[in-house]
């Protein structure tokens, strides 16, 4: 616990603080979670991770009613600034309310015009006006006008704009918005310390939903590693119980990565924008319809059409069919991610997605830089750990064992070896060494994570991680005499083993 500047007592770790009323966590895997976002004004609960299709009130490719009924959308997002600025739509929204106007039975979130601000440099509403307007038209989750600071700006600009965003959040707290939830965007450009501070500040307000803002330019430039760092920093400030929205992230290829980071809400304009451009979304990237000889998908659109059929459709119909396919793929991936969280294999899914593009691999590697942070929410026990790439050696489960191994009780003399002990009798005990985890008492062999599935042909990263486990054990137990028996591990890997450990290569062990 520590005292914040204004003297309130705050827990350092989010989960010891009282839970936010509107958000409840049900299940976790790595940084990912299944949660329930209660949206009082819509009298509904949205299961997260959730996708919010973006609806342009002036042109809908797929009607909101169809989004709910055919695709199971529980929540969508539309832009209150566009509604506010389009006279006939504004009048209708004020008269009938947003739910009637859009004909959508679920929850409706509204954006404020911040995106327009970042694109055109100027908008003509204040936070107070736009929040009141969102409340008046019946929005369920409103958004203040924050300043979306782009990546790589000067520190001075990032700080100044963050200060303005923070003032707007304080204004937003004072606007009477009834039981409309209000989001508190987290900015800070590409400065992790500013993102973290912005997260803490937003978390200390009484606002409800936390978009990590201005990451779209990073995603457009395939800077998934920088995106991960920005989100990780925001999450450190926000604490575990805050529902986090990765604003503008609509490509299904990166949902698993975003969820593993701890994001709960995603919005997609991509499904419609890409369709307009004859682009076909897949979880492994985007394809041009013109280049497809086959449709690698089983959704209704792709089972009823060949690529030639789609290409032959009139523009408007083709756009609608492509948008429908794009949405099917998008919602399918969200369901797959939720199932992966349930089954405890979200990181295996992230590893698969990381193989779709080298930039995604950078994103996954950046995610593993934050293994200690992910470890805080990762369950102690879950389904079998699958070692499917050398990056697996850096997963939070491995890191956790390396912490835990320092607390295990050791005898006076200890033999560590892969597989069965070849010469265990001379020692008080013989423990197993299993790459990538390292040493553990044989009695734990059937416990998680040592039930892991590993390839027979191990790799250097796994061996190095195992040695790291040996080092941690030896350093924590200076009184214990340790012998390490291994099967032909390369010298380079063994270099890290402390000198006082006797190392025996069992392949050449004739005695
Ligand atoms: Zn399809």
């Amino acid at each position: 616990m520590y005292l914040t500047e204004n003297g309130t007592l705050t827990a350092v770790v989010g989960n010891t603080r009282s839970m936010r009323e509107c958000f409840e966590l049900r299940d976790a895997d790595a940084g990912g979670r299944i949660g329930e976002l209660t949206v009082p004004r819509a009298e509904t609960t949205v299961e997260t991770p959730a996708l919010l299709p973006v609806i342009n009130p002036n042109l809908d490719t797929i009607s909101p009613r169809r989004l709910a009924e055919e695709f199971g959308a529980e929540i969508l997002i539309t832009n209150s600034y566009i509604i506010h600025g389009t006279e006939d739509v504004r009048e209708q929204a004020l008269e009938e309310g947003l739910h009637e106007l859009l004909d959508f039975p679920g929850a409706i979130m509204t954006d404020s015009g911040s995106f327009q601000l970042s694109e055109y440099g100027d908008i003509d509403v204040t936070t107070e006006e736009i929040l009141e307007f969102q409340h008046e038209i019946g929005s369920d989750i409103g958004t203040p006008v924050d300043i979306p600071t782009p990546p790589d700006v000067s520190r001075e600009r990032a700080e100044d704009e963050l200060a303005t965003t923070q003032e707007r959040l304080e204004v937003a707290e004072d606007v009477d918005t009834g039981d409309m939830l209000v989001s508190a965007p987290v900015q800070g450009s590409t400065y992790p310390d500013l993102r973290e501070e912005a997260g803490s500040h937003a978390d200390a307000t009484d606002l409800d939903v936390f978009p990590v803002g201005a990451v779209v330019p990073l995603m457009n430039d395939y800077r998934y590693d920088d995106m991960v760092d920005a989100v990780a920093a925001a999450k450190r400030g926000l604490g575990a119980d805050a529902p986090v929205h990765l604003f503008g992230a609509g490509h299904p290829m990166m949902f698993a990565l975003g969820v593993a980071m701890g994001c709960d809400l995603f919005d997609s304009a991509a499904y419609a924008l890409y369709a307009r451009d004859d682009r076909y979304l897949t979880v492994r990237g985007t394809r041009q319809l013109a280049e497809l000889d086959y449709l690698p998908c089983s959704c209704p659109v792709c089972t009823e059409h060949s690529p030639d059929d789609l290409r032959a459709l009139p523009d408007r119909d083709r756009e609608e069919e492509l948008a429908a396919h794009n949405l099917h793929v998008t919602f399918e991936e969200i369901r797959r991610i939720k199932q992966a969280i349930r089954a405890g294999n979200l990181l295996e899914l992230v590893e698969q997605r990381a193989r779709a593009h080298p930039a995604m691999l950078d994103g996954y590697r950046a995610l593993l830089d934050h293994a200690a942070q992910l470890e805080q929410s990762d369950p102690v026990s879950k389904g079998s750990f699958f070692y499917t790439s050398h990056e697996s050696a850096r997963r939070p489960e491995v890191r956790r064992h390396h912490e835990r191994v320092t607390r295990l009780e050791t005898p006076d003399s200890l033999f560590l070896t892969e597989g069965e002990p070849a010469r265990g009798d001379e020692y008080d005990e013989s423990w197993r060494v299993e790459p990538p985890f390292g040493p553990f008492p044989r009695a734990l062999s059937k416990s998680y994570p040592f039930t892991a599935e590993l390839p027979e042909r191990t790799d250097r990263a796994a061996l190095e991680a195992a040695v790291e486990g040996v080092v941690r054990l030896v350093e924590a137990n200076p009184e214990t005499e340790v012998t390490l028996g291994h099967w032909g591990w390369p010298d380079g890997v063994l270099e890290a083993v402390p000198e006082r450990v006797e190392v025996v290569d069992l392949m050449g062990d004739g005695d």
Side-chain angles (χ1 to χ4, degrees):
M1 308 282 263
Y2 62 93
L3 281 169
T4 60
E5 274 169 46
N6 57 11
T8 50
L9 201 57
T10 315
V12 177
V13 178
N15 60 11
T16 56
R17 183 171 38 198
S18 75
M19 294 295 278
R20 246 189 188 80
E21 264 173 50
C22 68
F23 193 54
E24 217 171 297
L25 296 178
R26 295 283 188 222
D27 237 314
D29 188 9
R33 58 266 190 102
I34 293 178
E36 273 184 12
L37 179 70
T38 301
V39 188
R41 212 171 182 208
E43 296 179 349
T44 189
T45 302
V46 173
E47 188 180 68
T48 63
L51 177 89
L52 294 73
V54 176
I55 289 296
N56 182 333
N58 292 325
L59 56 137
D60 63 29
T61 319
I62 306 268
S63 74
R65 174 61 59 182
R66 199 177 151 203
L67 286 174
E69 288 173 0
E70 192 178 325
F71 298 89
E74 295 182 310
I75 179 167
L76 59 73
I77 181 165
T78 189
N79 194 318
S80 70
Y81 182 71
I82 294 178
I83 297 172
H84 189 264
T86 317
E87 201 182 328
D88 52 331
V89 184
R90 179 180 66 226
E91 292 314 314
Q92 207 187 340
L94 284 168
E95 213 164 284
E96 299 176 352
L98 205 47
H99 287 261
E100 279 286 307
L101 176 77
L102 297 179
D103 186 27
F104 184 69
I108 299 178
M109 179 172 181
T110 41
D111 192 8
S112 62
S114 296
F115 180 74
Q116 281 69 19
L117 182 67
S118 70
E119 292 287 293
Y120 314 115
D122 192 30
I123 58 169
D124 55 4
V125 290
T126 65
T127 282
E128 211 163 6
E129 284 163 0
I130 200 74
L131 273 178
E132 277 168 2
F133 178 69
Q134 291 173 77
H135 183 250
E136 268 178 81
I137 60 177
S139 171
D140 303 309
I141 308 175
T143 306
V145 186
D146 64 318
I147 313 288
T149 309
D152 316 316
V153 300
S154 71
R155 173 134 193 136
E156 195 186 1
R157 177 174 165 197
E159 281 176 356
D160 284 354
E161 293 186 357
L162 179 57
T164 308
T165 289
Q166 292 179 338
E167 282 163 25
R168 307 262 173 95
L169 299 190
E170 282 153 23
V171 169
E173 279 186 285
D174 291 337
V175 179
D176 181 11
T177 49
D179 56 3
M180 177 173 85
L181 300 180
V182 177
S183 67
V186 175
Q187 298 292 346
S189 184
T190 27
Y191 297 96
D193 61 317
L194 293 185
R195 285 276 183 188
E196 184 172 345
E197 190 221 309
S200 308
H201 174 271
D203 196 45
T205 65
D206 63 9
L207 304 178
D208 310 286
V209 176
F210 302 89
V212 178
V215 289
V216 170
L218 295 176
M219 291 184 285
N220 287 346
D221 289 345
Y222 282 70
R223 290 167 62 183
Y224 293 108
D225 47 356
D226 293 332
M227 179 204 79
V228 164
D229 288 340
V231 173
K235 290 282 298 184
R236 284 194 296 276
L238 283 168
D241 64 338
V244 176
H245 180 172
L246 191 58
F247 218 96
H251 200 300
M253 178 173 72
M254 48 73 58
F255 290 163
L257 180 66
V259 169
M261 228 30 267
C263 298
D264 308 293
L265 302 170
F266 300 84
D267 55 278
S268 174
Y271 78 93
L273 294 175
Y274 284 41
R276 204 160 299 155
D277 256 358
D278 281 339
R279 286 186 289 172
Y280 179 98
L281 292 180
T282 84
V283 290
R284 302 180 60 220
T286 309
R287 308 283 175 261
Q288 289 289 343
L289 178 60
E291 291 164 4
L292 287 175
D293 294 323
Y294 304 93
L295 298 176
C297 171
S298 306
C299 84
V301 176
C302 299
T303 47
E304 284 161 24
H305 299 85
S306 69
D308 283 336
D309 293 341
L310 287 177
R311 285 189 281 260
L313 290 173
D315 287 356
R316 173 74 209 164
D317 295 348
R318 192 175 63 252
E319 182 182 330
E320 188 176 334
E321 295 296 346
L322 279 176
H325 156 81
N326 289 345
L327 274 172
H328 278 298
V329 174
T330 301
F331 280 106
E332 179 186 39
E333 182 70 353
I334 296 281
R335 291 193 297 275
R336 186 181 287 120
I337 288 166
K338 288 197 246 193
Q339 181 56 38
I341 294 172
R342 263 301 137 71
N345 55 29
L346 177 62
L347 288 179
E348 280 85 348
L349 180 60
V350 177
E351 289 203 336
Q352 287 176 29
R353 294 295 174 256
R355 263 61 203 172
H357 193 286
M360 289 295 302
L361 186 54
D362 279 332
Y364 179 46
R365 289 176 177 169
L367 179 83
L368 293 171
D369 291 342
H370 303 287
Q373 193 174 328
L374 302 186
E375 199 264 327
Q376 292 171 16
S377 52
D378 195 47
V380 178
S381 181
K382 49 187 178 177
S384 242
F385 178 109
F386 275 38
Y387 189 93
T388 56
S389 75
H390 69 84
E391 285 89 6
S392 302
R394 295 175 59 210
R395 283 176 47 170
E397 298 91 333
V398 176
R399 192 190 163 87
R400 173 179 291 150
H401 179 63
H402 290 171
E403 294 294 323
R404 193 176 161 210
V405 80
T406 63
R407 301 191 300 270
L408 295 174
E409 255 187 67
T410 54
D412 291 339
S413 75
L414 180 59
F415 185 50
L416 310 175
T417 177
E418 286 176 286
E420 291 308 309
R423 36 183 259 180
D425 300 351
E426 307 157 33
Y427 307 91
D428 293 338
E429 276 180 42
S430 161
W431 287 12
R432 259 178 76 195
V433 177
E434 188 76 43
F437 301 102
F440 56 90
R442 286 179 188 278
L444 295 179
S445 289
K446 292 202 160 58
S447 319
Y448 185 86
F450 310 117
T451 49
E453 296 286 344
L454 307 157
E456 289 292 323
R457 296 156 191 252
T458 192
D459 57 36
R460 192 182 175 101
L463 296 178
E464 280 173 349
V467 165
E468 168 73 15
V470 172
V471 171
R472 298 293 297 270
L473 179 76
V474 169
E475 283 176 352
N477 297 280
E479 307 296 314
T480 301
E481 265 182 55
V482 180
T483 303
L484 172 65
H486 66 90
W487 296 91
W489 291 8
D491 289 345
V493 167
L494 291 165
E495 264 167 26
V497 177
E499 282 205 359
R500 70 177 189 83
V501 175
E502 191 193 339
V503 178
V504 183
D505 186 345
L506 299 168
M507 298 246 274
D509 186 20
D511 359 302

